[in-house]
Amino acid sequence: MMVIDKIALALAVIGTLNWGSVGLFGFDCVAFLCGGPASILSRVIYTLVGVAGLWCVTLLFRDNEEEHGHAPYTA
């Protein structure tokens, strides 16, 4: 797994935790920490999380052969 994959996955997890807190408790952690949902910093974080989520979609369609140097074992 490349470094950018790990960063994207970490941002996607942070985003899901934030959405979980919004859904369960009505509390937006990003907005709370960054001065409201319309602040520039909040919008940058929301955008980064969204791009990271799109990047993580590509992980679903990648071939693992690149990482291991051989085809996966099938019995």
Side-chain angles (χ1 to χ4, degrees):
M1 186 177 267
M2 298 180 346
V3 174
I4 193 166
D5 295 340
K6 291 180 183 180
I7 292 170
L9 191 56
L11 284 172
V13 168
I14 289 168
T16 58
L17 292 174
N18 188 56
W19 274 109
S21 72
V22 170
L24 292 173
F25 310 113
F27 180 72
D28 187 345
C29 299
V30 174
F32 175 76
L33 294 173
C34 298
S39 74
I40 296 296
L41 185 56
S42 292
R43 294 181 65 187
V44 168
I45 292 172
Y46 295 142
T47 302
L48 288 174
V49 168
V51 170
L54 291 175
W55 184 270
C56 287
V57 170
T58 68
L59 297 175
L60 297 171
F61 301 103
R62 289 200 198 153
D63 187 13
N64 288 338
E65 191 172 326
E66 302 169 0
E67 296 177 11
H68 304 293
H70 56 81
Y73 176 76
T74 56

